[in-house]
Amino acid sequence: MKTESKKFLLQEKEIPEAWYNIVPDMKVKPAPMLDPATKRELKAEDLYPIFAEELAKQEMNTTDQWIEIPEEVRDMYKIWRPTPLVRAAGLEKALDTPAHIYFKNESVSPVGSHKLNSAIAQAYYCKKQGITNITTETGAGQWGAALSLAAQHFGLALAVYMVKVSYNQKPYRRSIMQTYGAEVIASPSMSTKAGRKIITDNPTCQGSLGTAISEAVELAMSTPNCKYTLGSVLNHVSLHQTVIGLEAEKQMEMAGEYPDIIIGCFGGGSNFSGISFPFLRHNLAGERNTRFIAAEPESCPKLTMGEFRYDFGDEAGYTPLIPMLTLGHEFMPANIHAGGLRYHGAGSIVSRLKKDGIIDAVDIPQLETFAAATLFARTEGIIPAPESSHAIAAAIREAKKAKEEGRQKVILFNLSGHGLIDMASYDRYFAGDLTDCKYEPAK
Ligand SMILES: *Cc1c(COP(=O)(O)O)cnc(C)c1O
């Protein structure tokens, strides 16, 4: 069978030269982070003990629309960027929809996800500042894998706290991190105060991103010349991910279309922001009216059911207070297979945009995501990550709606990663062992 799916490719020299910072273009800007003890507004300097200085400055930058991508970072992007944009004609045909469906394929990175876009930038700025050690947490292992490669490239020693449920469910991600030279610790662990407290209170605790963040921050604060890094949620992470949307913008132009709807799956918000913000700037300028949809799991619906308030980014309360849509930092999401989406809150920019009605969100049940993933694999040939399958499921919903309405919509979604290391989850789906997990507010 001949595939009709069409690829739009850019040349290496078209890798963006600057990241897009959306904050200067927002009419209502996100509120500042606060010091939890004094409730004082934080400045970039306040973050220097935890983060590399350049990253702390980017986090707080509300004035520069464009931030230059260092040559060393662009050089490393060349390993796999620019990534393809694909017209998913096979999927369109299977759905018999008048909609045109495009996806940006971030799964082609060496680690299989978009996470490397920010990992390289973060490792680079740490190295440039003379840092020798970095720590982080990882849920499904995607961020840890990306940072392991980046740390190795820039000669940094890396300790990764991996959420215990994923450490056991996804041993190959641990192997990948170790292959790149990182030290990997299952979280909660006995190696930190935060971990010991959680294990003492609840010996069978399977961990969460919040717990792993607490451990990684604690180790960074207690180790000399060591910084902490984070793969989602924060503004500078979303900033680095805008290379996705900036490339996609050029590629949609090559395709001769402009998206009516843009979709990204949603954990803390980085890949959704990456595909969306460059297009959203045209909405903010009054030039376009694209609809943006963040696809989150039904079991962890911070955007649709969360409260808009200040909350900690982690479970133990080590991070600054962040203004966010949150289910509460003590919320333990169900053990769904999309480990990268099990996070209690949304980044402050996306939370603000959602609150102001500038973006939309949908909650997708687990079984629907695996059905969508299977259809996508069989029509487009790529086995998606369980996280990315949320975006595919949302795109399929929109394509079906277009058919019912008899309208020719242009839909663009981000394929944030492939699922070749998640096949145990697919096995469980095919065996009928997976269930939907409804959200239950914390007791
Ligand atoms: C980490 C991850 C996500 C979720 O994180 P965001 O910051 O919301 O993008 C989604 N998809 C994949 C493949 C991931 O690895």
Side-chain angles (χ1 to χ4, degrees):
M1 196 173 78
K2 176 164 143 289
T3 173
E4 282 154 38
S5 294
K6 200 170 165 194
K7 256 190 337 213
F8 298 90
L9 299 174
L10 297 173
Q11 294 175 18
E12 208 169 88
K13 62 175 195 279
E14 293 174 279
I15 294 173
E17 287 173 12
W19 293 299
Y20 169 60
N21 178 17
I22 195 171
V23 180
D25 290 339
M26 290 169 70
K27 281 203 188 71
V28 184
K29 311 217 187 296
M33 289 187 193
L34 301 181
D35 181 307
T38 62
K39 301 288 185 304
R40 190 178 51 86
E41 199 179 297
L42 290 185
K43 301 263 175 302
E45 305 87 270
D46 297 315
L47 296 181
Y48 292 174
I50 310 181
F51 296 111
E53 291 181 12
E54 201 56 44
L55 296 168
K57 283 182 195 151
Q58 290 177 359
E59 185 63 27
M60 305 282 182
N61 189 324
T62 57
T63 50
D64 301 311
Q65 261 187 321
W66 299 99
I67 293 174
E68 194 188 326
I69 305 176
E71 206 45 54
E72 291 87 339
V73 174
R74 285 187 84 233
D75 259 351
M76 218 183 152
Y77 280 172
K78 286 177 192 161
I79 296 174
W80 81 103
R81 305 207 71 86
T83 63
L85 179 90
V86 183
R87 167 92 184 261
L91 180 62
E92 288 173 16
K93 202 165 165 190
L95 296 170
D96 187 27
T97 174
H100 292 183
I101 307 175
Y102 293 84
F103 65 92
K104 178 72 167 159
N105 187 0
E106 289 295 306
S107 81
V108 299
S109 91
V111 293
S113 82
H114 69 287
K115 295 280 194 332
L116 199 52
N117 296 325
S118 186
I120 290 171
Q122 294 189 41
Y124 166 77
Y125 288 117
C126 287
K127 181 67 183 182
K128 200 174 147 218
Q129 192 184 320
I131 302 300
T132 53
N133 293 60
I134 55 177
T135 73
T136 198
E137 81 295 332
T138 192
Q142 295 271 27
W143 168 246
L147 192 65
S148 300
L149 169 52
Q152 181 56 236
H153 179 81
F154 289 107
L156 300 164
L158 166 65
V160 182
Y161 286 92
M162 184 172 189
V163 179
K164 200 170 273 175
V165 60
S166 302
Y167 187 93
N168 295 322
Q169 267 176 6
K170 302 185 173 181
Y172 292 133
R173 286 261 162 65
R174 187 201 57 211
S175 317
I176 291 171
M177 291 184 260
Q178 289 165 338
T179 301
Y180 288 130
E183 182 190 348
V184 189
I185 307 131
S187 168
S189 78
M190 297 299 281
S191 70
T192 63
K193 252 194 282 175
R196 284 195 292 276
K197 178 172 186 317
I198 289 160
I199 292 177
T200 311
D201 293 350
N202 178 8
T204 60
C205 180
Q206 289 302 292
S208 71
L209 271 183
T211 306
I213 293 175
S214 306
E215 293 205 89
V217 171
E218 186 184 323
L219 182 67
M221 301 289 274
S222 59
T223 307
N225 212 19
C226 182
K227 297 290 171 209
Y228 166 70
T229 65
L230 189 55
S232 183
V233 186
L234 294 178
N235 300 348
H236 67 268
V237 185
S238 294
L239 173 78
H240 303 150
Q241 295 297 348
T242 57
V243 288
I244 303 172
L246 291 167
E247 285 179 7
E249 209 185 342
K250 288 188 195 162
Q251 288 163 308
M252 287 303 304
E253 219 170 280
M254 288 167 78
E257 302 208 87
Y258 194 90
D260 299 302
I261 301 172
I262 296 180
I263 300 169
C265 67
F266 199 96
S270 78
N271 92 91
F272 170 77
S273 303
I275 187 88
S276 298
F277 288 178
F279 290 94
L280 187 51
R281 84 182 193 273
H282 301 299
N283 276 24
L284 296 178
E287 300 156 1
R288 293 281 183 180
N289 196 20
T290 304
R291 196 174 154 225
F292 296 87
I293 306 173
E296 59 183 6
E298 177 191 50
S299 56
C300 196
K302 55 249 164 192
L303 291 174
T304 59
M305 297 174 79
E307 251 185 282
F308 187 77
R309 61 175 168 90
Y310 273 101
D311 196 8
F312 291 106
D314 68 319
E315 187 157 339
Y318 281 107
T319 68
L321 288 168
I322 303 171
M324 50 163 50
L325 278 163
T326 177
L327 299 169
H329 67 278
E330 286 170 328
F331 174 68
M332 278 278 179
N335 287 345
I336 55 163
H337 282 260
L341 307 187
R342 295 177 76 243
Y343 183 69
H344 67 272
S348 66
I349 296 175
V350 171
S351 293
R352 188 72 242 176
L353 293 169
K354 173 68 173 60
K355 176 146 174 62
D356 294 340
I358 293 168
I359 61 160
D360 285 338
V362 287
D363 304 332
I364 317 251
Q366 178 160 252
L367 291 177
E368 183 180 339
T369 67
F370 275 91
T374 305
L375 179 64
F376 184 75
R378 291 176 186 178
T379 52
E380 295 299 323
I382 301 167
I383 296 182
E387 291 85 0
S388 318
S389 306
H390 290 69
I392 300 171
I396 290 175
R397 283 188 186 183
E398 292 302 322
K400 286 181 174 166
K401 216 182 287 168
K403 183 180 176 183
E404 280 161 23
E405 295 169 356
R407 294 170 68 176
Q408 191 252 290
K409 289 266 164 97
V410 177
I411 301 169
L412 166 64
F413 72 86
N414 190 41
L415 183 74
S416 54
H418 70 64
L420 293 177
I421 303 158
D422 302 288
M423 295 319 295
S425 305
Y426 280 85
D427 282 347
R428 293 199 57 202
Y429 171 65
F430 292 127
D433 288 344
L434 292 191
T435 55
D436 288 336
C437 314
K438 279 228 171 341
Y439 167 63
E440 286 174 34
K443 279 142 226 147

